[in-house]
Amino acid sequence: MEEVTVNLGTGRASVGAVLDFAWTAGDFTATEAMASTSLTRSTAIDAIDTLVSVDILRELPNARAAGSYRSGRPARRFAVSPDLGVVVGVDAGDMHLAVTIADPLEATLVHHRIDLDPTHSPDQRRAEVLARLQQALKEAGVTQDAILAICVGVAAPVNRDGISPPHPDGFWERTNPHLAEALGGWAPIVEIKNDALLAAVAEGSDPRGAAIGCRDYVALLAGERFGGGVVVDGHLLHGAHGGVGEGIVFDHIIGVGSAFGLSYALHDRVREAVDGGEIARDSVVGRLADADRADPRSILALAASGDADAELVTSRVGATLARIVGVLGSMYDPATVIVCGAVAESIEPVLTAARGILPTQLHLPAPELVASALGAEVVSLGAVATARRAARERTVPRLAERRLSRAM
């Protein structure tokens, strides 16, 4: 999307500085804004008054009116206006769809998550995304023109225009069915991003994230398919086609052999051990081999409780994960690799096995290997965080410019 240069007049720098401060300040006074922005008092007050005049900031009741002030002249207090609009975060995975409507500050208004049919055509998936968006907006009590920014995470590489390259089996075209075009008129800013990249955003920005304060890390989505969101020197890596961290490389790694994630790897190792006579078919773990797809949480829970068969399986999956992390460590030299997604909630037995093998998989110091605390919603959290950043840095300043121009 084309960048727009925002011009808030001769006081643009000071207005922008105050607005940047206001996003994270909560309630604040002119003195606090002045201290944070290094503006003079008169400049800070002028900037605040400008933002109040165009309804970007609101003036709050003073301390005396609020009943908490005792003597002297009460300071004026301000906050970002609560009715600027909403942001939308979407996690459009291969087999699920999550839609979040949130305010541009911190509150979640609506969040829905449903399963998707992976056999749906691109047209069916696109229609489902649009329908669920409409439904969520209606439930939040807002209209489409209130949207400040939309960010959608998809299970595909995505270039800077929101377009995914062709896939030999059509997978990327199905998981990103021209969503940038379909959503282009929905909001001032629409961003389509790779889901693992958004997981990396969440891990580095959410208070519970495993990468807070870390400048070099990989967020490894590992449940359904492997894909990495890579941060080096504090910068998200993207690539010409959005393919940094794409999991197809693991098809070619001996001992991994597939981009399918840990959920599949656990079931495959159960089947191999049963077929090889290492696990009895009528045992608790062995009976899982005949399922179309075993629940990975049941295998992991058994391993955590000390079941020897489950420990055998998790040790072998741990060896696979160690090879994957070894490749990531050699390519990107991260300090930390974070295993993300729903599987992360119970993945510790696999991580324990992987940590013992990992130092042998690369010459560099092995990265710390940890489980995400953000669960199945990690991509949704990253999408909302990205939409909020776009709203704060781009949409709201443009909105202020338009309102100020009309007022002049």
Side-chain angles (χ1 to χ4, degrees), residues 287-333:
R287 286 193 290 271
L288 299 174
D290 293 329
D292 290 336
R293 183 179 174 192
D295 183 352
R297 292 172 297 184
S298 60
I299 301 171
L300 294 167
L302 286 166
S305 69
D307 183 282
D309 292 339
E311 287 179 340
L312 172 66
V313 170
T314 55
S315 70
R316 291 181 177 173
V317 175
T320 299
L321 180 61
R323 292 186 180 95
I324 290 169
V325 176
V327 170
L328 296 172
S330 296
M331 292 174 64
Y332 302 116
D333 191 20

Side-chain angles (χ1 to χ4, degrees), residues 217-389:
Y217 64 94
V218 176
L220 179 65
L221 281 180
E224 299 293 328
R225 299 177 66 86
F226 292 118
V230 181
V231 175
V232 175
D233 296 331
H235 300 288
L236 278 167
L237 300 189
H238 191 269
H241 307 97
V244 171
E246 169 56 35
I248 191 67
V249 65
F250 300 120
D251 286 353
H252 309 289
I253 302 298
I254 295 173
V256 180
S258 171
F260 288 105
L262 295 178
S263 296
Y264 291 94
L266 285 161
H267 193 194
D268 288 346
R269 298 297 88 79
V270 169
R271 283 180 168 172
E272 290 171 3
V274 169
D275 291 344
E278 296 173 283
I279 294 177
R281 190 172 294 276
D282 61 354
S283 68
V284 174
V285 174
R287 286 193 290 271
L288 299 174
D290 293 329
D292 290 336
R293 183 179 174 192
D295 183 352
R297 292 172 297 184
S298 60
I299 301 171
L300 294 167
L302 286 166
S305 69
D307 183 282
D309 292 339
E311 287 179 340
L312 172 66
V313 170
T314 55
S315 70
R316 291 181 177 173
V317 175
T320 299
L321 180 61
R323 292 186 180 95
I324 290 169
V325 176
V327 170
L328 296 172
S330 296
M331 292 174 64
Y332 302 116
D333 191 20
T336 305
V337 173
I338 308 155
V339 176
C340 301
V343 71
E345 297 173 0
S346 49
I347 200 63
E348 192 58 37
V350 172
L351 300 189
T352 299
R355 292 185 190 113
I357 301 168
L358 182 56
T360 69
Q361 299 299 304
L362 70 172
H363 292 168
L364 291 166
E368 182 182 14
L369 181 58
V370 301
S372 171
L374 302 182
E377 302 305 329
V378 62
V379 175
S380 290
L381 292 169
V384 171
T386 301
R388 280 186 170 134
R389 180 173 180 176

